[in-house]
Amino acid sequence: MRVPIFNDLYDAGSRLLGRAGDLVSGGILEQDVRLGVTGLRRAGKTVFVTSLVDNLLKAGRLPFLDVVSSGRFQASRLRPQPDAQVPRFEVEQRLAELTGPAPHWPTETRGISQLRLSMRYRPNAMLKRTVQPVATLNLDIVDYPGEWLLDLPLLYQSFAEWSALTLELAGRAPRDELSVSWRGWLATIDTAAPAEEEQARRGAALFTDYLHACRRSDNLLSLIQPGRFVEPGDMANAPLLTFCPLPGDRPRTRGSLWGLMEDRYEAYKSKVVRRFFAEHFARLDRQIVLIDVLGALNSGPAGMADMKRALELSLEPFRHGSSSWLDWLLGRKIDRVLFAATKADHVASHQHNSLRHLLDRLVSDARAGIRFEGAQVETMAIAALKSTETVVTEHEGRQLRCVRGVPLGRDRPTVLFPGEIPEDADFPPGQERPYNFMAFQPPADLAREARGLPHIRLDQAMQFLLGDYLE
């Protein structure tokens, strides 16, 4: 199902003005590309953006990025971002957290930020070299809380539809135990009764507590919406965040609790979700979808199913398809999408293909839909920051390929056998969590890395996403 978002004059006007601005500011010698780094929480978006920028600035670890390996790359530099109202992505601070005396993973993203990086290179095609011996590609990247991505499906759901789906989900394990207090409150109210602000705030507070419990769950629950309820950004305590799903059909009584909740839900969609999509996601050219497949395996069948559903819902609003010369008028389409299983360094290198194959099955429906629209799609297993090494050890007379790194919570390197990637996402009967892939700390001495942060297939990902722009 497609969102009728571009029928809205605000969205269409924003896209047209944005494209016109790109043409004016870019000029003949420059080209702009907006890369959407999308993904659910814990997928590693912030680390991905940080490593991508560091590696493009230093260009010492990009053998599979053709513009670098062919010697046509000149240099990259950070530039002022194009959207003056969006905070800057503080890449220097993120690098300091990863490379300092006590390296640690960056804290969770709490708000939106943006960065522009310009790459100077020599075109490969003779005609391009004749017209412009040196070209510039401006890469714009946006970072945001992963929870906000899950707001996008709300755009094509009415309050009644969203309420029914959310309540049905809340009544199933493992969410049923997490939602007891909120569902208990729902059983005591009359949705057709006159609306009272205190009652609305009480319902919203209990619903928010339930969403936070889902977020903390060991099952790695992903389908948490509305996203601003758990990551409000600059909207903390705003009336727009004081609603919750309600049971039953819409009462006909004016001024009812249902009517108040429905009005606030629609206002949230219009003033928060639609605007966020139009200003940041509707203008994307390329997209990488980061997925924590190993985390989903650790969480068990409920977490795996929840993440699959969340991914499929969150991708539906995007405009995928092949690009054409009419895009400047009708709006851009995302013509290349990369699904990437992150944290590939948490398993031995010989299992990367298995990780990719599992990712293929996990996103098969979404990938087929995007290809049907005309966009190119690829899957990879990557690590934006490589924090382990694959080593071979002997155990009970046989050789095992293990990983060596510093597990989270420990202070010295350890050799571990992380287990085998399953052939599919099915779990053995009676075993809720048969997998235990561990997380690792960033490696020490990264500050000495003059070539860029170590990674796995970051350059191959960039070749697929940007290689044609750099020809």
Side-chain angles (χ1 to χ4, degrees):
M1 179 178 180
R2 283 292 170 191
V3 182
I5 186 172
F6 297 103
N7 293 330
D8 186 280
L9 292 178
Y10 175 84
D11 296 338
S14 296
R15 290 175 58 91
L16 186 55
L17 289 174
R19 183 54 177 160
D22 291 343
L23 293 172
V24 172
S25 63
I28 297 177
L29 300 179
E30 295 192 9
Q31 194 172 14
D32 298 343
V33 57
R34 293 176 183 268
L35 174 64
V37 182
T38 57
L40 306 178
R41 65 191 184 95
R42 302 182 188 177
K45 295 187 300 299
T46 299
V47 175
F48 177 88
V49 173
T50 302
S51 182
L52 170 62
V53 171
D54 186 62
N55 275 282
L56 287 176
L57 288 173
K58 298 175 181 176
R61 294 182 181 271
L62 304 173
F64 290 99
L65 183 58
D66 182 72
V67 71
V68 174
S69 62
S70 64
R72 296 184 293 109
F73 181 81
Q74 290 192 343
S76 293
R77 62 177 296 185
L78 295 173
R79 301 280 294 277
Q81 63 197 69
D83 300 325
Q85 295 181 343
V86 180
R88 182 178 181 272
F89 180 86
E90 297 296 342
V91 65
E92 296 84 2
Q93 181 179 343
R94 303 287 86 81
L95 278 170
E97 293 170 343
L98 293 170
T99 64
H104 60 277
W105 299 111
T107 56
E108 290 186 345
T109 302
R110 301 296 184 187
I112 194 166
S113 60
Q114 186 183 63
L115 194 73
R116 166 167 283 194
L117 182 139
S118 295
M119 290 173 276
R120 191 67 58 85
Y121 65 99
R122 294 190 299 276
N124 193 29
M126 181 177 298
L127 179 59
K128 284 187 176 181
R129 290 200 306 269
T130 302
V131 175
Q132 49 186 96
V134 178
T136 299
L137 179 66
N138 298 317
L139 177 63
D140 294 326
I141 310 173
V142 176
D143 188 35
Y144 60 94
E147 287 83 355
W148 294 6
L149 185 66
L150 267 301
D151 279 349
L152 301 184
L154 303 182
L155 291 171
Y156 54 87
Q157 293 175 347
S158 68
F159 178 68
E161 292 169 336
W162 173 67
S163 292
L165 290 171
T166 304
L167 284 166
E168 192 272 334
L169 192 63
R172 297 203 311 255
R175 295 173 184 260
D176 53 346
E177 295 183 1
L178 306 177
S179 61
V180 169
S181 296
W182 171 55
R183 289 188 295 119
W185 175 82
L186 289 175
T188 68
I189 65 170
D190 179 4
T191 60
E196 296 181 4
E197 181 64 24
E198 186 57 34
Q199 193 176 43
R201 294 180 66 86
R202 176 62 176 164
L206 290 171
F207 179 60
T208 302
D209 290 342
Y210 156 63
L211 294 181
H212 277 288
C214 291
R215 193 185 193 199
R216 295 189 300 267
S217 173
D218 292 337
N219 290 283
L220 193 66
L221 298 175
S222 301
L223 193 51
I224 299 173
Q225 42 178 213
R228 299 271 183 164
F229 278 53
V230 291
E231 285 296 347
D234 58 357
M235 295 188 63
N237 300 316
L240 279 178
L241 304 187
T242 51
F243 65 89
C244 72
L246 296 178
D249 297 325
R250 176 178 181 173
R252 296 181 179 180
T253 308
R254 289 187 176 182
S256 65
L257 179 63
W258 179 285
L260 176 64
M261 296 289 200
E262 184 178 38
D263 288 345
R264 289 181 175 175
Y265 172 80
E266 293 298 334
Y268 181 84
K269 286 168 54 177
S270 175
K271 297 180 181 180
V272 179
V273 184
R274 187 180 296 271
R275 182 175 180 179
F276 176 63
F277 185 89
E279 292 181 352
H280 302 293
F281 286 152
R283 295 184 290 164
L284 296 181
D285 300 295
R286 300 289 164 86
Q287 182 178 30
I288 180 170
V289 184
L290 304 178
I291 304 172
D292 184 8
V293 177
L294 297 178
L297 284 172
N298 284 345
S299 68
M304 178 68 79
D306 200 72
M307 186 181 72
K308 185 176 187 297
R309 178 62 174 159
L311 280 169
E312 291 172 349
L313 285 173
S314 64
L315 288 171
E316 284 187 0
F318 291 94
R319 297 185 75 240
H320 299 107
S322 56
S323 298
S324 72
W325 65 273
L326 283 174
D327 287 351
W328 72 273
L329 177 61
L330 301 178
R332 287 171 170 154
K333 291 182 180 179
I334 302 171
D335 57 4
R336 290 195 185 188
V337 180
L338 174 64
F339 290 98
T342 58
K343 307 172 186 178
D345 57 322
H346 293 184
V347 296
S349 57
H350 75 289
Q351 294 194 64
H352 290 179
N353 280 337
S354 297
L355 180 59
R356 179 184 176 181
H357 291 157
L358 181 57
L359 173 66
D360 284 338
R361 287 187 286 275
L362 183 65
V363 303
S364 59
D365 292 340
R367 182 181 56 189
I370 294 171
R371 281 180 174 167
F372 180 81
E373 297 296 333
Q376 297 184 46
V377 188
E378 184 59 88
T379 57
M380 290 184 189
I382 72 169
L385 176 57
K386 186 171 179 286
S387 54
T388 69
E389 297 289 340
T390 297
V391 296
V392 178
T393 61
E394 287 195 5
H395 178 70
E396 297 181 351
R398 67 189 185 104
Q399 289 189 332
L400 291 178
R401 292 188 179 183
C402 304
V403 292
R404 179 173 60 201
V406 182
L408 286 178
R410 303 185 188 180
D411 58 2
R412 62 186 61 187
T414 304
V415 175
L416 297 168
F417 177 68
E420 299 286 343
I421 300 290
E423 291 297 322
D424 54 43
D426 293 332
F427 291 78
Q431 297 188 41
E432 289 299 313
R433 286 187 185 84
Y435 307 107
N436 187 27
F437 297 103
M438 296 191 68
F440 294 84
Q441 296 181 20
D445 299 325
L446 285 178
R448 301 179 183 178
E449 291 290 351
R451 296 185 298 154
L453 295 176
H455 61 83
I456 297 175
R457 298 184 192 91
L458 182 66
D459 50 348
Q460 295 182 42
M462 288 303 98
Q463 177 60 30
F464 173 73
L465 291 167
L466 301 176
D468 59 324
Y469 278 97
L470 297 167
E471 284 296 320

